[in-house]
Amino acid sequence: MCDTREQQSESNERVTRSCEPFALSHYHRTVHVPDGFINAPTSAVTGVVAAGAIAVSLRGARRELDERTAPLAGLVAAFIFAVQMLNFPVAAGTSGHLLGGALAAILVGPYTGVLCISVVLLMQGILFADGGLTALGVNITVMGCVTTVVAYAVFRGLVKVLPRGRRSVTVASFVAALLSVPAAALAFTLLYWIGGTTDVAIGKVATAMVGVHLLIGIGEAAITALTVGAVIAVRPDLVHGARGLQQKLQLRVNGALVDVPAAEGARTAPVAARTSRRTLWVSGLVTSLVLAGFVSFYASANPDGLEKVAADKGIDEKVEEHAAADSPLADYGVKDVDNARLSGGLAGVIGVGVTVVAGSAVFWAVRRRRGVDDASPTAVENV
Amino acid sequence: MGAGHAHRLYRHGHSPVHALPPHTKLAATFAFVVVVVSTPREAMWAFGLYAVLLGLVAFRARVPAGFLLKRLLIEVPFVAFAVLMPFVAEGERVDVLGVSLSVNGLWGAWNVLAKGTLGVATSVLLAATTELREVLLGLQRLKLPPLLVQIASFMIRYGDVITDELRRMRIARESRGFEARGVRHWGVLAKTAGALFIRSYERGERVHLAMVSRGYAGAMPVIDEVTASRAQWSYALTLPFAALVVCVLGWAL
C-alpha cells in the first residue's frame, strides 16, 4: 500500500524525463493487493461491495456536480495519479509519497473522492498490472472506500467540534489522514482474516499492518494537512470540506450590514439526479440479503474471533446464557433447521428483514415529526 | 500530445491478438485470472500449464519473452512478502536446511507467487496488445457505467497534461535553487501539490465549459462502437476455456 524507494540521482532523472513522453511512463508503483492473496469467494464479495460503493458514489457525485461530474472527477483522478508521483524525501535516501484517499475526500467530497480513487485503481490494475484483477474489489474497498469514508467522517466530526477557522480545517485534515491509513490497514486485516489464503496468526498480521501503517499515516497526515492548507489559502471555495467556512458577503447599506441575496446563477438541483430512490433502496436491500444469506453461509463455518479467543482462554466458562438464548434466532441460527450453514444464512436473511423494518419505522417516525415541526413541505424534501 | 497516448506497457504490432476487439480481450483476461485464482494450490502442474498457455498467447501476439519478463519485475515487492510467509505462518513445521519453516506458509507463499505472477503476466499481455483508447472502448462495451468510463477517459486523456504541469513546477523550483532534502522541505512540496490541485480543478471547469459549448449534456456520443463477431469471441475465449479445463482437472485429480 505504500513504498519507500531510493531517490534516483537527479541528473539521470532529468535526462530521461526530458526526452520521453511521460505521465504514464513515469508511473511509480504503489503496492496493491495481488491475485491469489485473498480467496475467490471473499474477492467476489468485496467485488460486489466495491461495485455497490461505486454505484452509490456515482449517484452522489452526480447530485453534487451534475453534468460537470465527468470532466471534474476525471481531472481530479488525473491529479491524484500525478500527485502520487511527487516524492517526499524523508531521510537517508528514502522517500514516501501520498496515497491520496484522505486528500481526495477533503478536497472534493466523499462521493467524488471514492470515484476518483476507484478509477485510479482500476486503471492501475488494467494498464500497469498493479494489483490483481481479481483483487480489484479488495483494493477498491480497502483503499478507495474505507480510507475515503473514514477520513471524511473523522474530518466532518472534527470540523463540527473544533472552532470555525482555517486552522481547525488543517488540524482536522491531519487527524483524518492519520486515522484513515491504519483504518484501511485494519480493514485489510479483517479481509485477510476472513479470506486470507495463508494461515498467519491474525494478531501478527494486525500488529504488523497497523504498526507500519501508523508510521505511513503520520507522513500522509502531514502532507495532506499541508496540501489542504495550501489550497485553502488560495481557493477556499474549492475545498469541499471547508464549504461551511465561507463568510457571507455583506453590503453596507446606509450604515447597516445587509446580507447579499443569493446569486441568481445559484445552481438548482439537476432534474436527472432527482429520480426515485427506489432502485437504490432495492439494490441495497438485495445486497444486504445476499451478504447475510450467502456470505454467512461461508462465514458461519468459522467461529467469531472474540468467541475463539474466549474459548481458548477459558473466558467463556463463566458466560451466562443471554436472555434471548431461547429465541427462535438464538446464536445466529434458525431453530428446527438442522443444516448449520443453511440455518445461519436463513437467520441472516431474517435479521436483515427485521432490521430494515425497524429502521424504516424509526426513519418514518422521525420524518413525520420533522414535517410537523417545520410545517413546510420543502423542508421534508431536503432532508 | 501525440506520443502520450501510448503507454509504457503497450507494444505496437499487427498480430492476431492485437487485432482482437478490446472487449473480448478484457473479458478473456478477466475470466482467465478468475480461473487461475480458483485453482487449488496443491495442483502445481496446473500452474505450469497456465504459464504454457500464456506463453502461447505471447507467441501469437509476438511479444518477446524479454519484454514480458522485464515487465514481470513489477511484482518484486510481493516476492519479498511471499518469502516472509513461511517464517511467520502457523501450523505444522518442517526443517529445510536447518531452518524451521511452516508447511502452510510454504504453500501460502507458493500460492501468492504462482497466482500473482500469472495475474501480472496476463495483465501485462493485455496491456501490451491493447491501446489505451481501445481499453476504454472495451470497458464501455462491457457495460461499465458510462459515467465511470467517461471519468476514466478524462483521467487518461489529461494524465499527461497534469503530469507535465507537475514537471514544469519541479523545473521552476529547481531553477530557483530548491532541492528537497528532508521533512523540512515538505511545505514547499505540499504547496506544489495544492497548486496542482487548483490547476487541475480549474482545467476541469474549463474543459466542461468547452464541452458544453459543443453541445455536451451529460452523455458522450458513441461514435466508434466496437463489435465482435462470433469467431472473434471464440478465438479470444479459447484461453479461459482451456484454463477452465485445466482448473477442473486440478480439482478432480
Side-chain angles (χ1 to χ4, degrees):
Chain A
M1 284 187 202
C2 153
D3 57 351
T4 49
R5 75 187 70 78
E6 304 220 347
Q7 232 173 349
Q8 296 162 332
S9 81
E10 280 290 312
S11 59
N12 181 20
E13 200 174 34
R14 213 165 297 160
V15 172
T16 49
R17 284 209 170 178
S18 57
C19 56
E20 257 185 77
F22 342 30
L24 304 175
S25 62
H26 271 275
Y27 172 57
H28 278 305
R29 241 181 98 70
T30 47
V31 180
H32 300 161
V33 180
D35 290 310
F37 215 82
I38 303 283
N39 66 18
T42 315
S43 304
V45 171
T46 50
V48 172
V49 171
I54 289 178
V56 171
S57 309
L58 279 172
R59 292 178 70 93
R62 195 172 257 173
R63 209 164 42 235
E64 281 169 5
L65 299 172
D66 51 77
E67 92 280 355
R68 297 180 302 159
T69 306
L72 282 185
L75 264 294
V76 174
F79 160 74
I80 297 286
F81 186 84
V83 90
Q84 286 181 346
M85 297 183 207
L86 191 58
N87 267 337
F88 285 79
V90 181
T94 59
S95 63
H97 70 93
L98 206 59
L99 302 173
L103 186 64
I106 295 164
L107 288 181
V108 293
Y111 296 118
T112 319
V114 168
L115 274 187
C116 295
I117 306 278
S118 306
V119 166
V120 169
L121 290 171
L122 182 73
M123 287 295 121
Q124 287 173 342
I126 294 180
L127 295 179
F128 299 98
D130 189 359
L133 288 181
T134 57
L136 257 181
V138 177
N139 280 324
I140 290 181
T141 308
V142 171
M143 282 188 259
C145 304
V146 174
T147 320
T148 316
V149 171
V150 167
Y152 194 72
V154 171
F155 179 80
R156 288 305 307 175
L158 280 178
V159 164
K160 280 224 173 87
V161 174
L162 293 172
R164 271 166 62 107
R166 263 185 213 171
R167 183 151 299 169
S168 1
V169 173
T170 316
V171 171
S173 337
F174 186 89
V175 180
L178 182 67
L179 293 180
S180 71
V181 179
L186 264 184
F188 172 78
T189 312
L190 185 72
L191 284 178
Y192 192 81
W193 178 58
I194 296 172
T197 48
T198 312
D199 186 20
V200 182
I202 200 65
K204 275 188 203 167
V205 179
T207 321
M209 286 292 287
V210 174
V212 170
H213 285 86
L214 265 177
L215 283 180
I216 295 170
I218 293 172
E220 177 90 1
I223 304 172
T224 305
L226 287 169
T227 307
V228 170
V231 178
I232 283 192
V234 185
R235 288 287 303 269
D237 54 318
L238 288 193
V239 181
H240 184 279
R243 274 186 183 172
L245 295 183
Q246 272 163 293
Q247 298 279 337
K248 269 208 170 155
L249 189 58
Q250 292 190 316
L251 289 180
R252 193 175 287 278
V253 181
N254 300 332
L257 284 174
V258 181
D259 282 349
V260 172
E264 249 174 70
R267 292 197 162 267
T268 46
V271 183
R274 225 188 252 167
T275 46
S276 82
R277 299 236 166 111
R278 192 172 296 163
T279 11
L280 189 67
W281 275 101
V282 171
S283 51
L285 193 62
V286 169
T287 313
S288 342
L289 284 178
V290 167
L291 283 177
F294 174 75
V295 180
S296 58
F297 193 84
Y298 280 97
S300 59
N302 302 322
D304 175 57
L306 205 58
E307 280 176 25
K308 173 91 167 67
V309 173
D312 289 352
K313 310 265 180 212
I315 301 172
D316 61 349
E317 280 169 22
K318 290 188 194 150
V319 174
E320 287 173 27
E321 283 284 281
H322 192 271
D326 287 332
S327 87
L329 294 178
D331 222 353
Y332 300 108
V334 178
K335 255 190 187 175
D336 305 328
V337 179
D338 287 339
N339 184 328
R341 289 184 150 179
L342 196 64
S343 109
L346 210 55
V349 171
I350 297 173
V352 168
V354 172
T355 314
V356 166
V357 170
S360 310
V362 171
F363 184 67
W364 183 72
V366 169
R367 219 165 111 138
R368 253 178 82 93
R369 257 191 76 185
R370 227 184 251 178
V372 172
D373 287 350
D374 295 348
S376 79
T378 48
V380 178
E381 186 114 322
N382 291 337
V383 167
Chain B
M1 223 164 110
H5 285 291
H7 54 93
R8 179 174 56 153
L9 290 174
Y10 180 67
R11 190 182 163 83
H12 188 69
H14 298 283
S15 74
V17 181
H18 281 81
L20 274 177
H23 56 294
T24 59
K25 274 191 274 187
L26 279 167
T29 309
F30 193 73
F32 179 75
V33 181
V34 168
V35 170
V36 168
V37 169
S38 26
T39 311
R41 57 190 181 185
E42 285 78 12
M44 284 178 143
W45 53 270
F47 296 100
L49 283 182
Y50 292 143
V52 170
L53 283 175
L54 282 185
L56 284 178
V57 174
F59 178 72
R60 291 292 287 162
R62 291 188 214 117
V63 175
F67 179 88
L68 191 59
L69 291 176
K70 215 158 66 187
R71 297 299 180 267
L72 278 182
L73 288 181
I74 256 180
E75 62 151 4
V76 164
F78 275 101
V79 176
F81 193 87
V83 166
L84 270 179
M85 274 187 169
F87 296 99
V88 295
E90 309 273 290
E92 193 189 334
R93 300 189 86 82
V94 62
D95 276 339
V96 181
L97 301 172
V99 185
S100 162
L101 299 173
S102 156
V103 176
N104 190 299
L106 282 172
W107 278 117
W110 156 250
N111 188 48
V112 170
L113 271 185
K115 292 178 180 174
T117 311
L118 285 168
V120 171
T122 324
S123 298
V124 167
L125 273 178
L126 173 74
T129 56
T130 319
E131 270 182 75
L132 275 181
R133 208 181 70 86
E134 281 190 316
V135 169
L136 293 171
L137 281 177
L139 288 177
Q140 190 175 346
R141 193 73 217 304
L142 289 176
K143 294 278 184 284
L144 232 71
L147 192 55
L148 201 65
V149 178
Q150 276 186 49
I151 295 175
S153 68
F154 276 107
M155 178 199 145
I156 297 294
R157 192 173 300 163
Y158 287 95
D160 281 324
V161 180
I162 302 297
T163 329
D164 216 19
E165 202 123 39
L166 193 62
R167 182 189 62 113
R168 285 200 294 278
M169 290 185 198
R170 184 176 58 83
I171 291 175
R173 282 197 313 265
E174 281 171 7
S175 60
R176 286 159 181 76
F178 175 82
E179 190 190 337
R181 253 169 285 127
V183 182
R184 280 171 300 130
H185 301 117
W186 282 16
V188 177
L189 295 174
K191 282 203 180 67
T192 305
L196 188 68
F197 170 73
I198 294 170
R199 289 186 189 182
S200 311
Y201 199 91
E202 287 177 345
R203 187 182 292 275
E205 288 174 335
R206 291 200 300 278
V207 168
H208 170 246
L209 288 179
M211 285 160 65
V212 167
S213 68
R214 286 161 180 79
Y216 177 76
M220 294 290 250
V222 180
I223 45 173
D224 36 10
E225 182 84 15
V226 281
T227 49
S229 65
R230 189 164 293 221
Q232 283 172 321
W233 267 114
S234 48
Y235 185 62
L237 292 183
T238 318
L239 174 70
F241 274 118
L244 189 63
V245 172
V246 175
C247 177
V248 169
L249 283 176
W251 278 106
L253 298 180

